Amino acid sequence: MEKNIAAPSISNRERYLQIIKLMVKYGFEDLVANSSFRSVLEKNAFKAKSRNFLEFNRYERIRMLLEEMGSTFVKMGQILSNRADILPIELITELEKLQDQVKPIDIDPIETISKSLGFHINEVLESFDETPLAAASISQVYTARLATGEKVIFKVLRPGIEPIIKSDISVLRDLLKLVKLNFPQIEKYKPDEMINSFERSILRELNYSLEKNNISRFAKQFESNKNIYTPKVYDKYSNRNVLCMEFIDGIKINDSQKLEEMKIDPVQLSKNLFHNYMDQIFIHGFFHSDPHPGNLFIIDKDKICFIDYGMMGFLLEEDQNNLIELIFHFLNKNPKKIVSSIEKLAVKVSIKDPKHFEYEIAQILYDMNSSVSEIDGQYLSEEFIKILYKNSIQLPPYAYHLARSLSIILGIALELYPDFNPTVHLKPMAKKILFKKYNSGFLMNQTLQMGMEMFSTMSSFPGDMKKIIAKASKGEFRMELEHKGLSKLQDRFEKVANRIIISIILASTIIGSSLVMHANIPPYIGSVSIIGISGFAFSALLGLLLIVSIIKNKMF
């Protein structure tokens, strides 16, 4: 019987038809030809190819398909580009090419902003440039000057974008059902959870109040750091749909010519960038998760300024500690400790051969024993992920996202200064961070928490015991014990018990026969008691059988 998913709803019918035509166009007609989606196809839908896209490989066509399917799918592809643990490296390479840049739509920005804020924005402006500075999939950016003379940008959410994205996510869920029917093995990667996570992430990006809060938190983290600058946010002119912030007039961090003209030291800049990003991760647990060169500017000669705070990463304190320990053990080339740290980080571990896994980690450490210029970072990263996959180790999603962000930062640092060596900076930083985290204050706090937990446990103990006794007195208390691997032991005990019984019978028969022989009880064969000699014969046979059984089962 053919499996099919439900046909799409009428409200999404046009969008389904558009997407399915695009899938056919890029050579994926096999995914839809035998599904219920054919009910929305026109008769000539399979003739939708406008050019021979089959000249491109499968992964290139996936990237091109996502680009033409629109902003929701582009963003999904960008997020999936962090998941080297589940996708082929060739596909990851293509997904990393996805750019969130689109043609601007024709809107009246002044009217849109004014309507959203509840007052006419011209009242507080000196000037406003209605030509977008930039256009992304969910927003458009405009420059303006406030009446106070400050140059600002207005980040404006595209009107009607939220229902479009929600509709696309609904379509995406149905497309996933289609893929799962054709490739059931995809279930082990928990794709439904991935879509749920993507939905939460993109809906957060649609709320500029959250981005405003991110900027405020980031600014507070680094208010005393003279090497970091955070743009000012104008609360009065910002809300859920509009974000007004300071215009950053700086140099892109990878513009080597302008950096040289401004006499900015690339060695110190690479060091400052790397150190700051480590602080974001391991000290604050709150980091910029899209630090590509377009989001990094240099102002006032030596200050680094991050822009676009829509995507930020969060780490729990326990995750921070486990990550810094993992890095520390990598730097000290201790494979046993590395394995232990990986097990702490992982959400799923099923290592069949721990010793071999440790050996594979040691091999990576050996491959790292060369100068930075000789290290193939991408190769080592791929090998590490392969080892994790082979040993059924699943790290939390943030780990792969963080790894990608770190590789971008390291790439920028190496572009600024080709001889930049991260290990030279990481080792003292790791020691410093570990010392900060495990100082006397930390230990005192941990001891206090343990004491509180023990006190809580002891306080609840009498009440818990009272409940158990009450249930036992009412006959409601039931304890279930499950033993595993005891059946063999039980069989062994039964065999031993049987042999003991046989031995006792054997001994009794020999003793009884001896007494009969001694008493000379008739009948006789010659002068020998038949009963006595029969007892000895039976004992001899029984003894022989017992010896054969013991030898056969190797019970000696």
Side-chain angles (χ1 to χ4, degrees):
M1 184 177 175
E2 182 188 351
K3 288 183 179 179
N4 279 321
I5 63 174
S9 63
I10 298 299
S11 59
N12 287 328
R13 191 180 184 87
E14 288 185 8
R15 181 59 170 152
Y16 278 105
L17 182 58
Q18 179 190 16
I19 288 172
I20 291 169
K21 280 185 174 181
L22 288 173
M23 290 175 74
V24 172
K25 173 182 175 181
Y26 286 101
F28 298 104
E29 58 265 42
D30 55 316
L31 289 178
V32 295
N34 297 315
S35 75
S36 294
F37 281 107
R38 63 190 172 194
S39 64
V40 297
L41 291 172
E42 296 171 353
K43 290 182 179 179
N44 62 347
F46 287 97
K47 298 178 182 179
K49 294 178 188 177
S50 58
R51 53 180 288 196
N52 186 15
F53 285 99
L54 297 181
E55 67 190 61
F56 301 97
N57 67 43
R58 188 176 186 87
Y59 303 121
E60 289 174 319
R61 286 184 285 121
I62 289 173
R63 188 252 305 161
M64 296 162 75
L65 172 64
L66 292 175
E67 286 175 335
E68 197 161 345
M69 283 167 77
S71 56
T72 307
F73 295 89
V74 167
K75 283 197 168 289
M76 183 67 177
Q78 289 172 329
I79 289 173
L80 285 174
S81 69
N82 301 315
R83 299 305 304 272
D85 58 315
I86 62 173
L87 297 177
I89 193 63
E90 297 86 356
L91 179 55
I92 293 292
T93 302
E94 288 301 317
L95 294 179
E96 286 175 345
K97 296 176 184 178
L98 292 169
Q99 298 293 318
D100 188 21
Q101 294 175 347
V102 297
K103 291 179 181 179
I105 58 171
D106 187 19
I107 62 170
D108 184 338
I110 295 287
E111 183 183 345
T112 302
I113 295 169
S114 300
K115 185 178 179 181
S116 180
L117 295 177
F119 63 90
H120 208 288
I121 194 66
N122 276 337
E123 297 172 6
V124 296
L125 294 178
E126 179 184 301
S127 61
F128 189 98
D129 187 352
E130 295 192 21
T131 302
L133 176 68
S137 55
I138 63 171
S139 65
Q140 296 191 165
V141 181
Y142 300 88
T143 57
R145 191 175 294 278
L146 298 178
T148 53
E150 297 156 284
K151 192 172 183 180
V152 297
I153 64 161
F154 281 93
K155 200 171 178 180
V156 184
L157 202 66
R158 288 193 174 207
I161 190 65
E162 188 166 344
I164 292 173
I165 286 177
K166 286 181 177 179
S167 174
D168 274 354
I169 290 173
S170 174
V171 172
L172 190 59
R173 291 187 197 282
D174 284 338
L175 289 174
L176 176 60
K177 293 175 186 176
L178 177 66
V179 172
K180 286 194 290 188
L181 286 180
N182 287 271
F183 305 101
Q185 64 270 26
I186 199 176
E187 282 284 10
K188 67 180 179 180
Y189 300 119
K190 300 181 179 178
D192 294 287
E193 288 185 18
M194 291 172 61
I195 290 182
N196 291 338
S197 176
F198 167 66
E199 183 178 26
R200 288 192 298 271
S201 174
I202 196 168
L203 291 180
R204 283 182 65 86
E205 284 193 63
L206 296 177
N207 185 347
Y208 286 143
S209 294
L210 296 176
E211 183 170 351
K212 179 172 70 72
N213 294 339
N214 289 340
I215 298 171
S216 300
R217 179 175 173 179
F218 193 88
K220 191 173 182 180
Q221 281 181 184
F222 296 105
E223 59 187 353
S224 60
N225 189 325
K226 64 180 181 179
N227 298 317
I228 299 297
Y229 185 84
T230 309
K232 179 182 177 182
V233 176
Y234 295 84
D235 290 341
K236 289 189 292 185
Y237 315 133
S238 302
N239 63 13
R240 182 184 177 89
N241 301 316
V242 176
L243 179 63
C244 179
M245 57 191 291
E246 174 185 1
F247 176 83
I248 298 299
D249 188 12
I251 303 168
K252 278 192 176 181
I253 199 164
N254 62 344
D255 191 337
S256 55
Q257 185 178 341
K258 286 190 177 180
L259 291 174
E260 189 176 348
E261 289 173 4
M262 296 294 292
K263 297 181 179 180
I264 296 171
D265 181 8
V267 178
Q268 189 60 44
L269 183 59
S270 62
K271 181 181 174 181
N272 290 347
L273 174 66
F274 191 72
H275 278 235
N276 172 260
Y277 206 71
M278 293 302 102
D279 281 352
Q280 289 183 39
I281 296 165
F282 298 115
I283 298 296
H284 303 288
F286 180 70
F287 58 94
H288 197 293
S289 60
D290 193 20
H292 63 78
N295 281 340
L296 286 163
F297 288 84
I298 307 302
I299 64 170
D300 298 339
K301 286 197 172 182
D302 59 355
K303 291 182 179 179
I304 300 168
C305 179
F306 289 82
I307 64 167
D308 194 353
Y309 294 80
M311 289 180 64
M312 301 296 288
F314 303 87
L315 287 176
L316 298 174
E317 187 176 6
E318 182 182 359
D319 295 327
Q320 289 175 273
N321 295 340
N322 290 337
L323 279 169
I324 195 62
E325 284 179 12
L326 176 63
I327 290 173
F328 188 74
H329 296 321
F330 254 109
L331 294 172
N332 286 324
K333 296 181 169 55
N334 190 330
K336 191 177 286 291
K337 292 285 188 182
I338 290 170
V339 171
S340 176
S341 294
I342 289 172
E343 288 175 336
K344 285 182 186 177
L345 274 173
V347 294
K348 180 185 175 185
V349 180
S350 182
I351 304 172
K352 293 180 180 177
D353 187 347
K355 200 67 186 174
H356 184 66
F357 177 53
E358 191 177 319
Y359 172 81
E360 290 178 311
I361 295 294
Q363 183 63 49
I364 286 184
L365 295 174
Y366 175 80
D367 292 340
M368 289 172 64
N369 263 337
S370 56
S371 66
V372 174
S373 59
E374 295 173 343
I375 292 175
D376 186 341
Q378 184 173 348
Y379 167 76
L380 290 176
S381 176
E382 288 174 22
E383 285 302 299
F384 184 62
I385 289 169
K386 283 178 186 175
I387 290 170
L388 295 180
Y389 181 79
K390 188 167 62 177
N391 288 277
S392 301
I393 297 171
Q394 185 182 338
L395 297 180
Y398 75 78
Y400 302 101
H401 198 171
L402 184 57
R404 178 178 176 271
S405 299
L406 278 170
S407 67
I408 292 172
I409 289 292
L410 181 57
I412 295 171
L414 286 168
E415 188 177 347
L416 289 168
Y417 177 49
D419 292 328
F420 179 81
N421 188 339
T423 58
V424 170
H425 302 280
L426 269 174
K427 203 160 189 176
M429 284 175 66
K431 287 181 179 177
K432 176 185 170 185
I433 292 167
L434 283 171
F435 178 77
K436 273 187 178 181
K437 287 190 174 293
Y438 295 104
N439 57 20
S440 57
F442 172 83
L443 294 174
M444 187 178 293
N445 184 49
Q446 289 293 100
T447 305
L448 181 62
Q449 285 186 24
M450 287 171 62
M452 289 174 68
E453 287 176 10
M454 287 178 65
F455 179 76
S456 175
T457 302
M458 294 302 293
S459 298
S460 63
F461 182 74
D464 293 338
M465 284 301 299
K466 189 175 180 181
K467 289 177 185 176
I468 291 171
I469 292 168
K471 283 194 172 187
S473 64
K474 294 177 182 177
E476 297 175 356
F477 183 76
R478 191 175 72 181
M479 183 180 291
E480 292 182 5
L481 294 175
E482 181 184 2
H483 63 77
K484 293 182 179 179
L486 292 180
S487 57
K488 290 182 179 180
L489 186 61
Q490 185 177 354
D491 291 342
R492 180 68 61 86
F493 280 143
E494 287 177 359
K495 288 179 181 178
V496 170
N498 290 338
R499 285 174 185 149
I500 291 172
I501 292 168
I502 292 170
S503 299
I504 292 170
I505 294 170
L506 179 61
S508 301
T509 306
I510 293 171
I511 294 169
S513 299
S514 299
L515 292 172
V516 168
M517 292 286 285
H518 183 70
N520 201 21
I521 298 172
Y524 305 104
I525 296 178
S527 60
V528 179
S529 173
I530 293 175
I531 297 173
I533 199 67
S534 298
F536 279 125
F538 176 74
S539 299
L541 179 62
L542 204 60
L544 182 62
L545 290 173
L546 184 60
I547 291 167
V548 170
S549 174
I550 291 170
I551 293 171
K552 186 179 178 181
N553 291 284
K554 298 181 180 180
M555 296 289 290
F556 52 87

